[in-house]
Amino acid sequence: MSDLKGKVAVVTGASKGIGAGIAKSFAAAGASVVVNYASSKEGADRVVKEITASGGKAIAVQGDVAKAADVKRLFAETRKNFGKLDVLVNNAGIYNFAPLESVSESEFHRQFNTNVLGPILTTQEALNHFGNSGGSVINISSVASVSSMPTTVVYSATKSALDSITRVLSNELAAKKIRVNTIAPGGVETEGTHTAGVIGSDLEKQMIAGTPLGRLGQPNDIAQVAVFLASEDSGWLTGERITAAGGYR
Ligand code: NAP
């Protein structure tokens, strides 16, 4: 496994699901981790407890990524507790699938605020905390950003926007030695996909049928790719979009 010893990472939306998996894998690889969450304090505390029980370093920090004041506080707490910043994972994201006829203005803004404005605000603030040796930003997109699955019009648009953000910022921030890459997961079994009713549905069956490796992903499948992108092993990668989906296209 790649080495993250001595690095400090902020993982947004790490109280559950893919974010929790990334936080735990980062800590296992030696990083000090900030476990961000919006409302699930209990979930975030559980992730921190698991990390510290295994000898790792982590703190939980509440903050809505779509609110600039919360984002400022998130990075200030990171600096206060761990002294620096090396890695930012923009994982916090929400999804809700609905046919076009049911798309509302408020749902559009809800998803765009978290999935698009959020990563812009966090990356903007992270610039004030990355040191002279730069940093690694990892955006969690989705296979939905390039697929054309019905009922995902708003969600897919948010993830296409995030792919675009990765490409632009990889170019814009390269002079500061900040690498920006995307991971695009396929279907992953998480608290979110359980709550959204994906697990156990026909959609899950369709996704598995379209996955050569024959199953949904687990958070750890995505976390291992994130550890690589956070580490010096991926030092020559920026502006890339890595699909992590068991071969699903
Ligand atoms: P999840 O289980 O629902 O967890 C979402 C996490 O994001 C939670 O920790 C939640 O915190 C946090 N969050 C939500 N809104 C937030 C906000 N405004 N500010 C800060 N944190 C916020 O989701 P998941 O399935 O692991 O998905 C994680 C990411 O992977 C998302 O970006 C999603 O689009 C992407 N993805 C997921 C799949 C999949 O099949 N699961 C596939 C492709 C891509 P609280 O619990 O405190 O609300």
Side-chain angles (χ1 to χ4, degrees):
M1 196 206 257
S2 297
D3 189 0
L4 300 183
K5 240 174 254 125
K7 289 195 186 292
V8 175
V10 169
V11 183
T12 68
S15 58
K16 49 171 97 122
I18 293 171
I22 292 173
K24 287 185 243 176
S25 293
F26 275 14
S32 301
V33 185
V34 176
V35 174
N36 162 252
Y37 66 99
S39 56
S40 309
K41 183 179 186 318
E42 210 181 299
D45 286 345
R46 205 175 314 124
V47 173
V48 168
K49 209 168 156 193
E50 207 174 306
I51 290 172
T52 51
S54 320
K57 287 190 192 142
I59 56 165
V61 179
Q62 189 279 332
D64 181 341
V65 293
K67 293 190 177 148
D70 285 20
V71 168
K72 244 189 172 2
R73 186 170 41 76
L74 169 64
F75 288 94
E77 285 294 317
T78 303
R79 174 72 72 93
K80 195 172 101 192
N81 283 273
F82 296 128
K84 62 170 188 156
L85 176 71
D86 302 291
V87 181
L88 164 65
V89 182
N90 285 313
N91 165 80
I94 50 178
Y95 36 88
N96 180 32
F97 307 131
L100 181 61
E101 294 86 333
S102 313
V103 170
S104 65
E105 215 176 317
S106 64
E107 184 57 21
F108 171 92
H109 289 300
R110 193 178 77 92
Q111 292 195 47
F112 266 83
N113 278 349
T114 300
N115 298 3
V116 181
L117 177 60
I120 289 176
L121 291 178
T122 54
T123 310
Q124 186 182 50
E125 183 58 21
L127 290 188
N128 297 324
H129 297 274
F130 283 133
N132 291 337
S133 51
S136 172
V137 177
I138 302 165
N139 291 327
I140 306 299
S141 178
S142 166
V143 291
S145 70
V146 294
S147 69
S148 47
M149 206 199 304
T151 76
T152 69
V153 64
V154 174
Y155 178 67
S156 293
T158 67
K159 294 302 186 179
S160 302
L162 188 57
D163 288 358
S164 191
I165 288 166
T166 294
R167 286 194 302 273
V168 171
L169 293 186
S170 66
N171 210 355
E172 190 170 326
L173 304 182
K176 296 182 197 291
K177 299 184 196 154
I178 297 168
R179 300 183 296 109
V180 187
N181 292 290
T182 286
I183 302 174
V188 179
E189 184 180 3
T190 63
E191 285 87 333
T193 45
H194 273 281
T195 306
V198 174
I199 304 303
S201 71
D202 286 346
L203 178 59
E204 182 194 12
K205 286 194 196 92
Q206 278 167 33
M207 286 192 296
I208 292 175
T211 303
L213 290 181
R215 62 171 174 84
L216 283 196
Q218 292 295 321
N220 191 49
D221 293 318
I222 311 307
Q224 297 310 310
V225 184
V227 170
F228 168 65
L229 286 177
S231 78
E232 305 307 324
D233 291 348
S234 61
W236 196 229
L237 302 194
T238 195
E240 300 294 347
R241 178 182 183 278
I242 299 178
T243 302
Y248 181 93
R249 290 285 176 269

PDB file of all heavy atoms in Angstrom, residues 174-211:
ATOM      1  N   ALA A 174      -1.404  23.859 -10.967  1.00  0.00           N
ATOM      2  CA  ALA A 174      -0.173  23.073 -11.153  1.00  0.00           C
ATOM      3  C   ALA A 174       1.070  23.850 -10.727  1.00  0.00           C
ATOM      4  O   ALA A 174       2.000  23.276 -10.142  1.00  0.00           O
ATOM      5  CB  ALA A 174      -0.048  22.635 -12.608  1.00  0.00           C
ATOM      6  N   ALA A 175       1.078  25.161 -10.976  1.00  0.00           N
ATOM      7  CA  ALA A 175       2.257  25.967 -10.620  1.00  0.00           C
ATOM      8  C   ALA A 175       2.485  25.973  -9.112  1.00  0.00           C
ATOM      9  O   ALA A 175       3.598  26.201  -8.639  1.00  0.00           O
ATOM     10  CB  ALA A 175       2.084  27.390 -11.138  1.00  0.00           C
ATOM     11  N   LYS A 176       1.418  25.730  -8.343  1.00  0.00           N
ATOM     12  CA  LYS A 176       1.565  25.669  -6.872  1.00  0.00           C
ATOM     13  C   LYS A 176       1.840  24.235  -6.414  1.00  0.00           C
ATOM     14  O   LYS A 176       1.723  23.915  -5.231  1.00  0.00           O
ATOM     15  CB  LYS A 176       0.268  26.160  -6.202  1.00  0.00           C
ATOM     16  CG  LYS A 176      -0.090  27.617  -6.465  1.00  0.00           C
ATOM     17  CD  LYS A 176      -1.372  27.957  -5.680  1.00  0.00           C
ATOM     18  CE  LYS A 176      -2.067  29.206  -6.146  1.00  0.00           C
ATOM     19  NZ  LYS A 176      -1.373  30.450  -5.887  1.00  0.00           N
ATOM     20  N   LYS A 177       2.133  23.338  -7.374  1.00  0.00           N
ATOM     21  CA  LYS A 177       2.401  21.910  -7.083  1.00  0.00           C
ATOM     22  C   LYS A 177       1.191  21.219  -6.463  1.00  0.00           C
ATOM     23  O   LYS A 177       1.330  20.301  -5.639  1.00  0.00           O
ATOM     24  CB  LYS A 177       3.621  21.747  -6.171  1.00  0.00           C
ATOM     25  CG  LYS A 177       4.894  22.285  -6.780  1.00  0.00           C
ATOM     26  CD  LYS A 177       6.045  21.982  -5.838  1.00  0.00           C
ATOM     27  CE  LYS A 177       7.258  22.816  -6.178  1.00  0.00           C
ATOM     28  NZ  LYS A 177       8.143  23.050  -5.066  1.00  0.00           N
ATOM     29  N   ILE A 178       0.012  21.701  -6.814  1.00  0.00           N
ATOM     30  CA  ILE A 178      -1.211  21.049  -6.329  1.00  0.00           C
ATOM     31  C   ILE A 178      -1.771  20.195  -7.453  1.00  0.00           C
ATOM     32  O   ILE A 178      -2.068  20.708  -8.541  1.00  0.00           O
ATOM     33  CB  ILE A 178      -2.255  22.097  -5.876  1.00  0.00           C
ATOM     34  CG1 ILE A 178      -1.696  22.888  -4.692  1.00  0.00           C
ATOM     35  CG2 ILE A 178      -3.580  21.419  -5.500  1.00  0.00           C
ATOM     36  CD1 ILE A 178      -2.490  24.133  -4.341  1.00  0.00           C
ATOM     37  N   ARG A 179      -1.853  18.895  -7.211  1.00  0.00           N
ATOM     38  CA  ARG A 179      -2.413  17.969  -8.201  1.00  0.00           C
ATOM     39  C   ARG A 179      -3.903  17.812  -7.925  1.00  0.00           C
ATOM     40  O   ARG A 179      -4.330  17.801  -6.759  1.00  0.00           O
ATOM     41  CB  ARG A 179      -1.726  16.597  -8.107  1.00  0.00           C
ATOM     42  CG  ARG A 179      -0.224  16.659  -8.344  1.00  0.00           C
ATOM     43  CD  ARG A 179       0.440  15.306  -8.318  1.00  0.00           C
ATOM     44  NE  ARG A 179       0.365  14.631  -7.037  1.00  0.00           N
ATOM     45  CZ  ARG A 179      -0.370  13.559  -6.774  1.00  0.00           C
ATOM     46  NH1 ARG A 179      -1.116  13.003  -7.714  1.00  0.00           N
ATOM     47  NH2 ARG A 179      -0.363  13.002  -5.575  1.00  0.00           N
ATOM     48  N   VAL A 180      -4.697  17.708  -8.984  1.00  0.00           N
ATOM     49  CA  VAL A 180      -6.150  17.558  -8.830  1.00  0.00           C
ATOM     50  C   VAL A 180      -6.605  16.414  -9.723  1.00  0.00           C
ATOM     51  O   VAL A 180      -6.397  16.450 -10.945  1.00  0.00           O
ATOM     52  CB  VAL A 180      -6.903  18.855  -9.232  1.00  0.00           C
ATOM     53  CG1 VAL A 180      -8.387  18.738  -8.890  1.00  0.00           C
ATOM     54  CG2 VAL A 180      -6.294  20.082  -8.564  1.00  0.00           C
ATOM     55  N   ASN A 181      -7.172  15.386  -9.113  1.00  0.00           N
ATOM     56  CA  ASN A 181      -7.619  14.215  -9.871  1.00  0.00           C
ATOM     57  C   ASN A 181      -9.016  13.802  -9.439  1.00  0.00           C
ATOM     58  O   ASN A 181      -9.492  14.180  -8.354  1.00  0.00           O
ATOM     59  CB  ASN A 181      -6.651  13.042  -9.646  1.00  0.00           C
ATOM     60  CG  ASN A 181      -5.286  13.296 -10.275  1.00  0.00           C
ATOM     61  OD1 ASN A 181      -5.144  13.300 -11.489  1.00  0.00           O
ATOM     62  ND2 ASN A 181      -4.266  13.539  -9.439  1.00  0.00           N
ATOM     63  N   THR A 182      -9.649  13.028 -10.293  1.00  0.00           N
ATOM     64  CA  THR A 182     -11.007  12.537 -10.030  1.00  0.00           C
ATOM     65  C   THR A 182     -11.007  11.021  -9.908  1.00  0.00           C
ATOM     66  O   THR A 182     -10.336  10.331 -10.687  1.00  0.00           O
ATOM     67  CB  THR A 182     -11.915  12.899 -11.239  1.00  0.00           C
ATOM     68  OG1 THR A 182     -12.200  14.294 -11.202  1.00  0.00           O
ATOM     69  CG2 THR A 182     -13.219  12.143 -11.210  1.00  0.00           C
ATOM     70  N   ILE A 183     -11.790  10.518  -8.958  1.00  0.00           N
ATOM     71  CA  ILE A 183     -12.152   9.092  -8.969  1.00  0.00           C
ATOM     72  C   ILE A 183     -13.634   9.026  -9.333  1.00  0.00           C
ATOM     73  O   ILE A 183     -14.460   9.746  -8.751  1.00  0.00           O
ATOM     74  CB  ILE A 183     -11.945   8.413  -7.599  1.00  0.00           C
ATOM     75  CG1 ILE A 183     -10.494   8.535  -7.139  1.00  0.00           C
ATOM     76  CG2 ILE A 183     -12.361   6.935  -7.672  1.00  0.00           C
ATOM     77  CD1 ILE A 183     -10.248   8.018  -5.726  1.00  0.00           C
ATOM     78  N   ALA A 184     -13.963   8.182 -10.303  1.00  0.00           N
ATOM     79  CA  ALA A 184     -15.362   8.001 -10.701  1.00  0.00           C
ATOM     80  C   ALA A 184     -15.811   6.591 -10.313  1.00  0.00           C
ATOM     81  O   ALA A 184     -15.568   5.635 -11.046  1.00  0.00           O
ATOM     82  CB  ALA A 184     -15.501   8.211 -12.205  1.00  0.00           C
ATOM     83  N   PRO A 185     -16.444   6.461  -9.131  1.00  0.00           N
ATOM     84  CA  PRO A 185     -16.915   5.130  -8.728  1.00  0.00           C
ATOM     85  C   PRO A 185     -18.145   4.710  -9.533  1.00  0.00           C
ATOM     86  O   PRO A 185     -18.933   5.550  -9.976  1.00  0.00           O
ATOM     87  CB  PRO A 185     -17.307   5.315  -7.255  1.00  0.00           C
ATOM     88  CG  PRO A 185     -16.738   6.624  -6.821  1.00  0.00           C
ATOM     89  CD  PRO A 185     -16.658   7.464  -8.065  1.00  0.00           C
ATOM     90  N   GLY A 186     -18.292   3.405  -9.691  1.00  0.00           N
ATOM     91  CA  GLY A 186     -19.567   2.858 -10.147  1.00  0.00           C
ATOM     92  C   GLY A 186     -20.435   2.680  -8.916  1.00  0.00           C
ATOM     93  O   GLY A 186     -20.195   3.309  -7.884  1.00  0.00           O
ATOM     94  N   GLY A 187     -21.452   1.834  -8.980  1.00  0.00           N
ATOM     95  CA  GLY A 187     -22.313   1.625  -7.814  1.00  0.00           C
ATOM     96  C   GLY A 187     -21.526   1.078  -6.631  1.00  0.00           C
ATOM     97  O   GLY A 187     -20.752   0.138  -6.781  1.00  0.00           O
ATOM     98  N   VAL A 188     -21.721   1.712  -5.461  1.00  0.00           N
ATOM     99  CA  VAL A 188     -21.027   1.277  -4.239  1.00  0.00           C
ATOM    100  C   VAL A 188     -22.073   1.093  -3.147  1.00  0.00           C
ATOM    101  O   VAL A 188     -22.972   1.939  -2.996  1.00  0.00           O
ATOM    102  CB  VAL A 188     -19.984   2.332  -3.789  1.00  0.00           C
ATOM    103  CG1 VAL A 188     -19.277   1.877  -2.511  1.00  0.00           C
ATOM    104  CG2 VAL A 188     -18.961   2.594  -4.893  1.00  0.00           C
ATOM    105  N   GLU A 189     -21.966   0.019  -2.404  1.00  0.00           N
ATOM    106  CA  GLU A 189     -22.905  -0.192  -1.299  1.00  0.00           C
ATOM    107  C   GLU A 189     -22.510   0.701  -0.130  1.00  0.00           C
ATOM    108  O   GLU A 189     -21.434   0.524   0.450  1.00  0.00           O
ATOM    109  CB  GLU A 189     -22.908  -1.663  -0.868  1.00  0.00           C
ATOM    110  CG  GLU A 189     -23.948  -1.896   0.214  1.00  0.00           C
ATOM    111  CD  GLU A 189     -24.012  -3.335   0.700  1.00  0.00           C
ATOM    112  OE1 GLU A 189     -23.214  -4.175   0.241  1.00  0.00           O
ATOM    113  OE2 GLU A 189     -24.881  -3.596   1.564  1.00  0.00           O
ATOM    114  N   THR A 190     -23.358   1.671   0.183  1.00  0.00           N
ATOM    115  CA  THR A 190     -23.087   2.611   1.279  1.00  0.00           C
ATOM    116  C   THR A 190     -24.398   2.891   2.014  1.00  0.00           C
ATOM    117  O   THR A 190     -25.481   2.513   1.533  1.00  0.00           O
ATOM    118  CB  THR A 190     -22.563   3.965   0.733  1.00  0.00           C
ATOM    119  OG1 THR A 190     -23.593   4.559  -0.076  1.00  0.00           O
ATOM    120  CG2 THR A 190     -21.300   3.809  -0.091  1.00  0.00           C
ATOM    121  N   GLU A 191     -24.298   3.610   3.113  1.00  0.00           N
ATOM    122  CA  GLU A 191     -25.506   4.047   3.808  1.00  0.00           C
ATOM    123  C   GLU A 191     -26.391   4.819   2.833  1.00  0.00           C
ATOM    124  O   GLU A 191     -27.608   4.688   2.820  1.00  0.00           O
ATOM    125  CB  GLU A 191     -25.153   4.931   5.011  1.00  0.00           C
ATOM    126  CG  GLU A 191     -24.596   4.172   6.200  1.00  0.00           C
ATOM    127  CD  GLU A 191     -23.079   3.985   6.133  1.00  0.00           C
ATOM    128  OE1 GLU A 191     -22.495   3.962   5.022  1.00  0.00           O
ATOM    129  OE2 GLU A 191     -22.473   3.834   7.208  1.00  0.00           O
ATOM    130  N   GLY A 192     -25.747   5.645   2.002  1.00  0.00           N
ATOM    131  CA  GLY A 192     -26.498   6.475   1.048  1.00  0.00           C
ATOM    132  C   GLY A 192     -27.269   5.659   0.032  1.00  0.00           C
ATOM    133  O   GLY A 192     -28.437   5.959  -0.258  1.00  0.00           O
ATOM    134  N   THR A 193     -26.642   4.618  -0.525  1.00  0.00           N
ATOM    135  CA  THR A 193     -27.349   3.819  -1.541  1.00  0.00           C
ATOM    136  C   THR A 193     -28.412   2.941  -0.879  1.00  0.00           C
ATOM    137  O   THR A 193     -29.411   2.607  -1.502  1.00  0.00           O
ATOM    138  CB  THR A 193     -26.381   2.980  -2.408  1.00  0.00           C
ATOM    139  OG1 THR A 193     -25.408   2.341  -1.580  1.00  0.00           O
ATOM    140  CG2 THR A 193     -25.685   3.833  -3.449  1.00  0.00           C
ATOM    141  N   HIS A 194     -28.219   2.599   0.405  1.00  0.00           N
ATOM    142  CA  HIS A 194     -29.288   1.885   1.128  1.00  0.00           C
ATOM    143  C   HIS A 194     -30.478   2.823   1.314  1.00  0.00           C
ATOM    144  O   HIS A 194     -31.614   2.470   1.004  1.00  0.00           O
ATOM    145  CB  HIS A 194     -28.788   1.386   2.495  1.00  0.00           C
ATOM    146  CG  HIS A 194     -28.138   0.031   2.423  1.00  0.00           C
ATOM    147  ND1 HIS A 194     -28.868  -1.147   2.368  1.00  0.00           N
ATOM    148  CD2 HIS A 194     -26.846  -0.345   2.373  1.00  0.00           C
ATOM    149  CE1 HIS A 194     -28.037  -2.186   2.303  1.00  0.00           C
ATOM    150  NE2 HIS A 194     -26.798  -1.724   2.297  1.00  0.00           N
ATOM    151  N   THR A 195     -30.196   4.046   1.810  1.00  0.00           N
ATOM    152  CA  THR A 195     -31.279   5.001   2.081  1.00  0.00           C
ATOM    153  C   THR A 195     -32.024   5.381   0.805  1.00  0.00           C
ATOM    154  O   THR A 195     -33.246   5.546   0.816  1.00  0.00           O
ATOM    155  CB  THR A 195     -30.701   6.300   2.730  1.00  0.00           C
ATOM    156  OG1 THR A 195     -29.959   5.903   3.866  1.00  0.00           O
ATOM    157  CG2 THR A 195     -31.790   7.262   3.139  1.00  0.00           C
ATOM    158  N   ALA A 196     -31.273   5.502  -0.302  1.00  0.00           N
ATOM    159  CA  ALA A 196     -31.906   5.903  -1.574  1.00  0.00           C
ATOM    160  C   ALA A 196     -32.704   4.753  -2.201  1.00  0.00           C
ATOM    161  O   ALA A 196     -33.345   4.937  -3.241  1.00  0.00           O
ATOM    162  CB  ALA A 196     -30.836   6.389  -2.549  1.00  0.00           C
ATOM    163  N   GLY A 197     -32.649   3.580  -1.575  1.00  0.00           N
ATOM    164  CA  GLY A 197     -33.427   2.444  -2.091  1.00  0.00           C
ATOM    165  C   GLY A 197     -32.780   1.752  -3.281  1.00  0.00           C
ATOM    166  O   GLY A 197     -33.427   0.952  -3.967  1.00  0.00           O
ATOM    167  N   VAL A 198     -31.503   2.070  -3.528  1.00  0.00           N
ATOM    168  CA  VAL A 198     -30.805   1.428  -4.660  1.00  0.00           C
ATOM    169  C   VAL A 198     -30.537  -0.042  -4.345  1.00  0.00           C
ATOM    170  O   VAL A 198     -30.772  -0.929  -5.179  1.00  0.00           O
ATOM    171  CB  VAL A 198     -29.470   2.160  -4.967  1.00  0.00           C
ATOM    172  CG1 VAL A 198     -28.662   1.421  -6.023  1.00  0.00           C
ATOM    173  CG2 VAL A 198     -29.745   3.599  -5.408  1.00  0.00           C
ATOM    174  N   ILE A 199     -30.074  -0.272  -3.103  1.00  0.00           N
ATOM    175  CA  ILE A 199     -29.741  -1.653  -2.725  1.00  0.00           C
ATOM    176  C   ILE A 199     -31.047  -2.471  -2.646  1.00  0.00           C
ATOM    177  O   ILE A 199     -32.012  -2.064  -1.994  1.00  0.00           O
ATOM    178  CB  ILE A 199     -28.991  -1.687  -1.369  1.00  0.00           C
ATOM    179  CG1 ILE A 199     -27.738  -0.791  -1.433  1.00  0.00           C
ATOM    180  CG2 ILE A 199     -28.609  -3.123  -0.998  1.00  0.00           C
ATOM    181  CD1 ILE A 199     -26.739  -1.110  -2.523  1.00  0.00           C
ATOM    182  N   GLY A 200     -31.041  -3.582  -3.353  1.00  0.00           N
ATOM    183  CA  GLY A 200     -32.241  -4.425  -3.376  1.00  0.00           C
ATOM    184  C   GLY A 200     -33.196  -4.081  -4.507  1.00  0.00           C
ATOM    185  O   GLY A 200     -34.228  -4.737  -4.677  1.00  0.00           O
ATOM    186  N   SER A 201     -32.885  -3.052  -5.284  1.00  0.00           N
ATOM    187  CA  SER A 201     -33.794  -2.629  -6.364  1.00  0.00           C
ATOM    188  C   SER A 201     -33.374  -3.220  -7.714  1.00  0.00           C
ATOM    189  O   SER A 201     -32.313  -3.829  -7.840  1.00  0.00           O
ATOM    190  CB  SER A 201     -33.773  -1.099  -6.477  1.00  0.00           C
ATOM    191  OG  SER A 201     -32.531  -0.690  -7.021  1.00  0.00           O
ATOM    192  N   ASP A 202     -34.232  -2.991  -8.724  1.00  0.00           N
ATOM    193  CA  ASP A 202     -33.886  -3.422 -10.080  1.00  0.00           C
ATOM    194  C   ASP A 202     -32.641  -2.692 -10.576  1.00  0.00           C
ATOM    195  O   ASP A 202     -31.847  -3.239 -11.333  1.00  0.00           O
ATOM    196  CB  ASP A 202     -35.045  -3.135 -11.048  1.00  0.00           C
ATOM    197  CG  ASP A 202     -36.188  -4.127 -10.834  1.00  0.00           C
ATOM    198  OD1 ASP A 202     -35.960  -5.149 -10.146  1.00  0.00           O
ATOM    199  OD2 ASP A 202     -37.291  -3.872 -11.339  1.00  0.00           O
ATOM    200  N   LEU A 203     -32.482  -1.420 -10.127  1.00  0.00           N
ATOM    201  CA  LEU A 203     -31.308  -0.651 -10.537  1.00  0.00           C
ATOM    202  C   LEU A 203     -30.032  -1.350 -10.073  1.00  0.00           C
ATOM    203  O   LEU A 203     -29.050  -1.441 -10.831  1.00  0.00           O
ATOM    204  CB  LEU A 203     -31.392   0.770  -9.952  1.00  0.00           C
ATOM    205  CG  LEU A 203     -30.210   1.698 -10.240  1.00  0.00           C
ATOM    206  CD1 LEU A 203     -30.012   1.889 -11.742  1.00  0.00           C
ATOM    207  CD2 LEU A 203     -30.423   3.053  -9.570  1.00  0.00           C
ATOM    208  N   GLU A 204     -30.039  -1.874  -8.856  1.00  0.00           N
ATOM    209  CA  GLU A 204     -28.864  -2.592  -8.362  1.00  0.00           C
ATOM    210  C   GLU A 204     -28.595  -3.809  -9.261  1.00  0.00           C
ATOM    211  O   GLU A 204     -27.450  -4.054  -9.657  1.00  0.00           O
ATOM    212  CB  GLU A 204     -29.050  -3.051  -6.911  1.00  0.00           C
ATOM    213  CG  GLU A 204     -27.790  -3.765  -6.387  1.00  0.00           C
ATOM    214  CD  GLU A 204     -28.010  -4.536  -5.085  1.00  0.00           C
ATOM    215  OE1 GLU A 204     -29.172  -4.721  -4.672  1.00  0.00           O
ATOM    216  OE2 GLU A 204     -27.006  -4.982  -4.506  1.00  0.00           O
ATOM    217  N   LYS A 205     -29.669  -4.539  -9.592  1.00  0.00           N
ATOM    218  CA  LYS A 205     -29.498  -5.730 -10.441  1.00  0.00           C
ATOM    219  C   LYS A 205     -28.892  -5.336 -11.796  1.00  0.00           C
ATOM    220  O   LYS A 205     -27.980  -5.990 -12.292  1.00  0.00           O
ATOM    221  CB  LYS A 205     -30.847  -6.426 -10.664  1.00  0.00           C
ATOM    222  CG  LYS A 205     -31.342  -7.170  -9.453  1.00  0.00           C
ATOM    223  CD  LYS A 205     -32.500  -8.119  -9.824  1.00  0.00           C
ATOM    224  CE  LYS A 205     -33.257  -8.578  -8.584  1.00  0.00           C
ATOM    225  NZ  LYS A 205     -34.407  -7.730  -8.223  1.00  0.00           N
ATOM    226  N   GLN A 206     -29.420  -4.242 -12.372  1.00  0.00           N
ATOM    227  CA  GLN A 206     -28.896  -3.764 -13.672  1.00  0.00           C
ATOM    228  C   GLN A 206     -27.418  -3.400 -13.554  1.00  0.00           C
ATOM    229  O   GLN A 206     -26.622  -3.702 -14.439  1.00  0.00           O
ATOM    230  CB  GLN A 206     -29.638  -2.501 -14.110  1.00  0.00           C
ATOM    231  CG  GLN A 206     -30.970  -2.735 -14.788  1.00  0.00           C
ATOM    232  CD  GLN A 206     -31.737  -1.400 -14.888  1.00  0.00           C
ATOM    233  OE1 GLN A 206     -31.145  -0.325 -15.031  1.00  0.00           O
ATOM    234  NE2 GLN A 206     -33.054  -1.465 -14.796  1.00  0.00           N
ATOM    235  N   MET A 207     -27.074  -2.719 -12.456  1.00  0.00           N
ATOM    236  CA  MET A 207     -25.677  -2.285 -12.294  1.00  0.00           C
ATOM    237  C   MET A 207     -24.755  -3.495 -12.161  1.00  0.00           C
ATOM    238  O   MET A 207     -23.686  -3.540 -12.766  1.00  0.00           O
ATOM    239  CB  MET A 207     -25.530  -1.344 -11.086  1.00  0.00           C
ATOM    240  CG  MET A 207     -26.084   0.039 -11.361  1.00  0.00           C
ATOM    241  SD  MET A 207     -25.628   1.271 -10.124  1.00  0.00           S
ATOM    242  CE  MET A 207     -26.418   0.655  -8.684  1.00  0.00           C
ATOM    243  N   ILE A 208     -25.181  -4.484 -11.389  1.00  0.00           N
ATOM    244  CA  ILE A 208     -24.343  -5.682 -11.216  1.00  0.00           C
ATOM    245  C   ILE A 208     -24.223  -6.425 -12.548  1.00  0.00           C
ATOM    246  O   ILE A 208     -23.131  -6.868 -12.926  1.00  0.00           O
ATOM    247  CB  ILE A 208     -24.909  -6.595 -10.101  1.00  0.00           C
ATOM    248  CG1 ILE A 208     -24.766  -5.897  -8.745  1.00  0.00           C
ATOM    249  CG2 ILE A 208     -24.182  -7.949 -10.088  1.00  0.00           C
ATOM    250  CD1 ILE A 208     -25.394  -6.628  -7.576  1.00  0.00           C
ATOM    251  N   ALA A 209     -25.342  -6.503 -13.282  1.00  0.00           N
ATOM    252  CA  ALA A 209     -25.312  -7.204 -14.574  1.00  0.00           C
ATOM    253  C   ALA A 209     -24.348  -6.523 -15.544  1.00  0.00           C
ATOM    254  O   ALA A 209     -23.733  -7.180 -16.388  1.00  0.00           O
ATOM    255  CB  ALA A 209     -26.719  -7.249 -15.166  1.00  0.00           C
ATOM    256  N   GLY A 210     -24.201  -5.197 -15.405  1.00  0.00           N
ATOM    257  CA  GLY A 210     -23.308  -4.457 -16.304  1.00  0.00           C
ATOM    258  C   GLY A 210     -21.881  -4.354 -15.796  1.00  0.00           C
ATOM    259  O   GLY A 210     -21.047  -3.661 -16.387  1.00  0.00           O
ATOM    260  N   THR A 211     -21.589  -5.021 -14.682  1.00  0.00           N
ATOM    261  CA  THR A 211     -20.252  -4.931 -14.076  1.00  0.00           C
ATOM    262  C   THR A 211     -19.488  -6.236 -14.311  1.00  0.00           C
ATOM    263  O   THR A 211     -19.837  -7.268 -13.726  1.00  0.00           O
ATOM    264  CB  THR A 211     -20.373  -4.665 -12.548  1.00  0.00           C
ATOM    265  OG1 THR A 211     -21.132  -3.473 -12.354  1.00  0.00           O
ATOM    266  CG2 THR A 211     -19.005  -4.508 -11.902  1.00  0.00           C
TER     267      THR A 211
END
